[in-house]
Amino acid sequence: MASSVSGSTSGEITLFVNPTAGRGRGAQAAQPAAAALREAGFSVRTVLGIDADDALRRAREAVAAGTGALVAVGGDGMVNLALQAVAGTAVPLGVVAVGTGNDFARALGLPVRDPWAAARRAAGALLAGRAREIDLGRTGGRWFGGVLASGFDSRVNDRGNRMRLPAGRFKYDLAILAELASFRPTPYRMRLDDGPVREIAATLVAVGNGTSYGGGMRICAGARLDDGLFDVTVVGDCSRTTLVRVFPKVYRGTHLGHPAISTHRAKKIELSAAGITAYADGEPLGALPLTAQCVPGAVRVLLQDAPGR
């Protein structure tokens, strides 16, 4: 849903920067992003932090002070942090995606790794007085914009985060191979909305507000950002061979037709499984169980075009 951005053509814009995103691309992207916003006539203030908690505190202070917009410069983790500051407020969010995955920006059809173009798009939306309301997921008091992962994919994240070398996405490729060696389905308890509790053996359960994670893996390929519903993808009890064969199809979203995979739509999901850490937007949420709720129109994004599927 489109909405106006009051007072968007004047005042200060807050640039919320992760200098370490994309192996330093965040720091490099801040300057052209700020220049593009200033060229459009905006005053720009840059917010950093000594750590994530300090950065979020500073971002929340800027939102409370009435900044014209919060523009996140970084990857999906930085966008996730920005969502904690702007969700449920009137302050719109801009995205300058320069991280490794950039799935949130891809879902919105925004420029990726082109900070000047992304900031120009944000400025154009502000000057036009336009923003788009999109849904967010909420669990345990924390917001997420993309996909909540649990199961095989979250085990890969766990292992990859423990690995010091190699750097970048390659270590997650190695983590996938390592997890395949010890692959096993997990017993889950799942409840959708107010339906019955289902006991299932699953390789993974992904809860999608957006379509993809991991830099373009379209695990919830049919998800929409503005329909008030999660798309839930359940990869059932399957063999290692089946998983290896189906995995490449995730990048095209054609995996959903496989008989081992089921999909559901719900406003709320309750998930429980022993020994499983949940991740949302690539950030750890903690161990299951959890309850996630889709909140319609929870954030206003600087985007003049309709959000992508």
Side-chain angles (χ1 to χ4, degrees):
M1 177 184 294
S3 61
S4 63
V5 182
S6 61
S8 61
T9 57
S10 62
E12 187 175 76
I13 304 304
T14 302
L15 210 59
F16 190 38
V17 181
N18 178 4
T20 64
R23 303 188 196 180
R25 282 191 297 267
Q28 296 169 6
Q31 185 174 355
L37 290 166
R38 291 189 177 108
E39 184 180 276
F42 297 102
S43 171
V44 178
R45 173 175 174 255
T46 299
V47 167
L48 299 167
I50 58 174
D51 55 29
D53 289 340
D54 182 55
L56 179 56
R57 178 184 62 80
R58 292 169 185 265
R60 283 176 166 156
E61 287 175 352
V63 169
T67 187
L70 187 70
V71 179
V73 182
D76 288 322
M78 195 60 176
V79 171
N80 181 271
L81 200 61
L83 290 175
Q84 313 314 311
V86 298
T89 77
V91 175
L93 173 69
V95 179
V96 175
V98 292
T100 302
N102 305 310
D103 289 287
F104 189 76
R106 293 177 199 275
L108 292 165
L110 291 171
V112 170
R113 297 183 186 169
D114 188 341
W116 177 272
R120 289 286 296 173
R121 287 280 291 276
L126 280 164
L127 290 169
R130 302 285 287 176
R132 291 247 167 212
E133 293 181 354
I134 66 169
D135 310 334
L136 293 177
R138 187 169 175 83
T139 179
R142 189 163 184 89
W143 300 95
F144 65 94
V147 176
L148 186 155
S150 73
F152 179 79
D153 42 11
S154 60
R155 284 193 176 112
V156 168
N157 262 323
D158 285 341
R159 184 179 290 271
N161 290 342
R162 292 194 300 267
M163 295 167 62
R164 298 186 63 184
L165 294 172
R169 290 183 61 183
F170 184 58
K171 72 176 179 180
Y172 291 98
D173 294 334
L174 292 180
I176 288 172
L177 294 175
E179 284 300 318
L180 280 171
S182 59
F183 169 74
R184 64 196 184 280
T186 299
Y188 277 86
R189 290 170 62 87
M190 180 178 76
R191 187 183 189 197
L192 303 176
D193 293 327
D194 296 320
V197 174
R198 310 180 191 197
E199 295 191 359
I200 56 175
T203 301
L204 65 87
V205 178
V207 182
N209 181 58
T211 56
S212 67
Y213 58 11
M217 290 189 284
R218 296 171 56 79
I219 188 69
C220 298
R224 291 180 58 106
L225 291 166
D226 58 358
D227 64 355
L229 296 170
F230 290 133
D231 275 38
V232 180
T233 299
V234 179
V235 179
D237 186 352
C238 63
S239 68
R240 185 182 293 111
T241 300
T242 297
L243 185 60
V244 170
R245 187 168 61 245
V246 172
F247 179 78
K249 297 181 179 181
V250 175
Y251 287 94
R252 301 187 301 274
T254 56
H255 62 294
L256 297 179
H258 193 278
I261 298 175
S262 61
T263 58
H264 314 269
R265 284 187 172 162
K267 295 180 181 179
K268 181 175 73 171
I269 182 170
E270 300 171 33
L271 275 179
S272 177
I276 297 294
T277 301
Y279 284 76
D281 298 337
E283 300 298 305
L285 291 175
L288 297 184
L290 62 75
T291 298
Q293 183 89 31
C294 185
V295 182
V299 68
R300 304 164 77 217
V301 180
L302 295 174
L303 178 74
Q304 290 178 270
D305 301 322
R309 291 178 178 267

